[in-house]
C-alpha cells in the first residue's frame, strides 16, 4: 500500500474495529462482518493448486560487483524480472536468517500484546503513522482483514517516537537495526536497475532528492471465511521500491501477471522486492509496478514487514528523459509524492489504480 498522502482529520473518518479484535470475538465464518466480505468471492487463482510464481532469485553480491560476466548475467536477470513480473527475491543481502527471524518474532510479539498496550502507538490522527486498521476509507468499499503498524524509519528526524512500541522490550532496537541494515538496499537496486537498461547508474536515484523509508508491520489474523475475505485487496504500492520480509511459516502473498494470480513462495534468507508505481513512471513503463494481494487463512495468522522506499513530498518524479523516444513516447505525467498521495486516497477506495490517473 502507499504510505504518502495528506492525512484526513481523525473525526472525518469512519471508525472500524481492529481486525484482530473482531477475529478473536468470533468463532464461525458466518460472523465475519459484512464489510469484509467479497460477496461473490474474489478472483481465485486459476484452480485449487494455484501456481507458484517463478523463483526469480537475484544475488545482491553479484549486482554490486563490478563488470564480471556473472554480474552482467545478474543484471540481465534483474531486467527480465522487472519487465515481466515487476518483482523478484533478493538473496545474499548480508542479513542472517537468525536476525530476520528475530525481526519477525518481535513483530509477532507486538501484535500479541494486550490491546491497551498496542493502542499506545495508535495512529488515529494520521493515515500513514502508527497502529490501526484500514484507514483509507470511502463509500462502501470492502475492508481488508489486516491490522498494521506504520513507522517512519528515515529520515530519522521524522520517525515520531510516540508510534514506536515500548513493548516488546527489544522492538525498537531490532526494528531500528533492520532499518539501518536495509537502508542501502533500495539505492543499490535503483543503481542496478538503471545499469540494466544501459543508463547512467544514478539516473533513477537522482530523482529522489531526499529519500524516505517507511515500515508497515502487517498482521493478518486467522479468518473463518478465507474464500471471501482478503487480507489486502489487489493494489500496487505507492513507493519506488518495496522490500518485504514475509512470515516464515505462513504464505499469503500473491502477484498478478497476465491476468493470472500466482502465489509468492517464502524463501528462507530471501527478501521479496517489488517495484512500486514510481518505478513504472520513471522507467516510462518498461518496469512493471506489480499488482499484488494477500489472501487469508483459516488456520494461522500471518505477519509481514513491508519497507517502502520513496522520496520526499515536494519532489517530482517523472519518466527518465533517456527512456522517452520516438518508439516509446512519454506515457506518464510527472508527479510529486504529495500529489501522488492525494490521487491514491481518491483511487484506492474505489478499487482503481493510482497509476492509471498518471497515464497520458
Ligand atoms: C503491503 C503489502 C504484502 C504482505 O503492505 O503493501 O502488499 O504480504 N503487503 O503483507
Ligand atoms: Ni503492497
Amino acid at each position: 500500500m502507499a504510505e504518502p498522502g495528506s492525512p484526513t482529520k481523525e473525526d472525518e473518518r469512519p471508525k472500524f474495529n481492529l481486525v484482530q479484535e473482531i477475529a478473536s470475538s468470533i468463532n464461525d465464518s458466518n460472523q465475519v462482518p459484512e464489510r469484509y466480505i467479497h460477496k461473490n468471492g474474489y478472483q481465485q487463482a486459476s484452480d485449487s493448486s494455484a501456481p507458484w510464481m517463478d523463483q526469480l532469485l537475484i544475488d545482491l553480491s553479484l549486482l554490486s560487483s563490478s563488470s564480471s560476466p556473472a554480474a552482467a548475467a545478474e543484471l540481465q536477470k534483474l531486467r527480465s524480472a522487472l519487465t515481466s513480473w515487476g518483482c523478484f527475491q533478493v538473496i545474499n543481502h548480508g542479513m542472517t536468517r537468525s536476525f530476520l527471524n528475530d525481526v519477525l518474532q518481535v513483530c509477532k510479539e507486538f501484535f500479541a500484546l494486550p490491546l491497551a498496550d498496542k493502542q499506545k502507538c495508535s495512529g488515529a490522527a494520521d493515515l500513514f503513522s502508527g497502529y490501526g486498521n484500514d484507514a483509507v476509507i470511502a463509500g462502501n468499499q470492502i475492508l481488508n482483514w489486516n491490522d498494521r503498524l506504520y513507522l517512519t524509519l528515515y529520515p530519522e528526524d521524522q520517525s515520531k517516537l510516540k508510534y514506536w512500541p515500548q513493548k516488546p522490550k527489544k522492538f525498537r532496537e531490532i526494528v531500528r537495526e533492520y532499518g539501518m541494515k536495509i537502508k542501502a538496499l533500495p539505492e543499490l537496486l535503483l543503481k542496478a536497475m538503471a545499469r540494466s537498461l544501459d543508463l547512467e547508474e544514478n539516473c533513477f536515484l537522482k530523482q529522489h532528492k531526499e529519500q524516505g523509508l517507511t515500515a508497515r508491520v502487517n498482521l493478518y489474523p486467522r479468518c473463518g471465511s478465507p474464500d471471501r475475505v482478503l487480507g489486502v485487496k489487489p493494489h500496487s504500492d505507492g513507493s519506488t521500491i518495496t522490500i518485504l520480509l514475509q512470515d516464515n511459516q505462513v504464505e499469503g502473498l500473491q502477484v498478478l501477471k497476465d491476468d493470472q494470480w500466482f502465489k509468492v513462495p517464502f524463501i528462507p534468507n530471501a527478501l521479496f522486492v517489488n517495484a512500486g508505481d514510481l518505478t513504472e513512471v520513471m522507467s516510462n513503463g518498461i518496469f512493471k509496478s506489480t499488482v499484488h494481494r494477500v489472501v487469508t487463512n483459516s488456520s494461522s495468522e500471518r505477519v509481514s514487514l513491508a519497507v517502502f522506499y520513496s522520496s520526499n513530498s515536494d519532489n517530482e518524479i517523472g519518466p527518465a528523459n533517456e527512456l522517452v523516444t520516438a518508439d516509446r513516447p512519454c506515457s506518464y505525467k510527472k508527479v510529486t509524492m504529495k500529489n501522488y498521495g492525494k490521487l491514491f486516497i481518491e483511487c484506492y477506495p474505489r478499487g482503481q489504480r493510482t497509476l492509471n490517473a498518471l497515464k497520458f
Side-chain angles (χ1 to χ4, degrees):
M1 210 145 313
E3 71 286 359
S6 46
T8 46
K9 292 199 187 71
E10 184 186 354
D11 52 5
E12 289 170 8
R13 282 195 273 128
K15 300 251 183 330
F16 293 98
N17 291 332
L18 290 150
V19 175
Q20 201 177 7
E21 295 298 298
I22 301 171
S24 64
S25 70
I26 58 179
N27 46 26
D28 91 53
S29 59
N30 296 331
Q31 291 174 291
V32 171
E34 282 284 296
R35 284 295 306 257
Y36 294 86
I37 304 232
H38 294 259
K39 300 285 173 303
N40 305 313
Y42 53 85
Q43 186 200 345
Q44 301 282 349
S46 65
D47 57 50
S48 55
S49 57
W52 293 98
M53 67 175 271
D54 297 352
Q55 283 222 325
L56 305 175
L57 297 184
I58 298 288
D59 184 334
L60 195 71
S61 65
L62 287 176
L63 279 189
S64 28
S65 73
S66 54
S67 50
S68 65
E74 210 62 14
L75 278 184
Q76 179 53 41
K77 265 167 70 183
L78 178 72
R79 174 180 175 152
S80 154
L82 283 169
T83 48
S84 52
W85 291 85
C87 58
F88 51 89
Q89 307 239 20
V90 172
I91 52 169
N92 283 333
H93 42 63
M95 282 183 269
T96 63
R97 190 162 168 188
S98 89
F99 176 66
L100 296 180
N101 286 342
D102 288 350
V103 178
L104 282 171
Q105 183 59 30
V106 91
C107 294
K108 286 182 188 170
E109 285 170 12
F110 169 75
F111 285 112
L113 291 172
L115 180 63
D117 285 331
K118 288 176 288 200
Q119 280 185 322
K120 290 187 181 138
C121 311
S122 183
D126 190 338
L127 279 183
F128 299 107
S129 294
Y131 175 63
N133 59 340
D134 231 346
V136 185
I137 302 211
N140 291 323
Q141 104 199 70
I142 299 169
L143 302 179
N144 290 330
W145 196 253
N146 163 250
D147 294 335
R148 89 302 190 259
L149 172 69
Y150 266 120
L151 299 169
T152 301
L153 299 172
Y154 290 98
E156 265 175 309
D157 61 2
Q158 288 168 31
S159 69
K160 300 182 208 134
L161 263 189
K162 65 178 176 186
Y163 296 128
W164 285 72
Q166 298 198 24
K167 286 188 202 169
K169 247 179 110 195
K170 291 221 139 185
F171 185 98
R172 288 185 176 186
E173 180 191 327
I174 290 183
V175 175
R176 274 240 173 280
E177 188 179 344
Y178 182 72
M180 268 159 55
K181 289 187 160 148
I182 212 149
K183 191 167 184 272
L185 184 56
E187 292 171 26
L188 222 144
L189 289 173
L190 271 185
K191 287 186 181 179
M193 282 154 61
R195 280 192 279 128
S196 82
L197 295 173
D198 295 322
L199 300 173
E200 194 278 309
E201 70 171 5
N202 288 312
C203 174
F204 296 141
L205 195 56
K206 72 183 180 201
Q207 292 208 33
H208 299 69
K209 302 264 162 10
E210 190 192 326
Q211 297 143 33
L213 280 187
T214 307
R216 179 179 160 119
V217 191
N218 287 301
L219 177 79
Y220 306 97
R222 283 191 318 116
C223 177
S225 206
D227 50 342
R228 292 189 302 155
V229 177
L230 280 170
V232 180
K233 288 177 291 185
H235 67 284
S236 56
D237 291 340
S239 59
T240 301
I241 288 179
T242 304
I243 300 158
L244 184 79
L245 175 59
Q246 294 203 75
D247 196 300
N248 48 17
Q249 264 141 41
V250 186
E251 266 130 3
L253 178 62
Q254 301 188 343
V255 295
L256 189 68
K257 181 176 181 282
D258 305 329
D259 295 325
Q260 155 94 63
W261 288 102
F262 292 84
K263 297 193 286 188
V264 177
F266 164 71
I267 299 175
N269 288 331
L271 295 168
F272 177 80
V273 175
N274 64 274
D277 286 357
L278 285 316
T279 282
E280 184 164 326
V281 169
M282 285 191 303
S283 69
N284 199 20
I286 294 176
F287 293 150
K288 301 285 173 289
S289 172
T290 318
V291 173
H292 52 287
R293 69 182 185 185
V294 178
V295 297
T296 52
N297 185 303
S298 58
S299 54
S300 313
E301 65 177 24
R302 175 173 180 270
V303 165
S304 71
L305 170 57
V307 172
F308 304 99
Y309 170 89
S310 65
S311 170
N312 52 315
S313 64
D314 298 324
N315 201 29
E316 205 169 47
I317 301 253
N321 290 337
E322 298 87 330
L323 297 176
V324 177
T325 58
D327 295 345
R328 184 177 277 279
C330 185
S331 307
Y332 302 86
K333 298 169 200 154
K334 285 185 183 172
V335 66
T336 61
M337 288 310 293
K338 197 191 278 163
N339 287 339
Y340 178 93
K342 285 186 191 151
L343 287 171
F344 176 85
I345 289 166
E346 284 168 25
C347 294
Y348 182 73
R350 297 183 179 83
Q352 294 162 0
R353 286 191 75 183
T354 315
L355 204 50
N356 288 341
L358 294 174
K359 282 188 180 155
F360 282 121

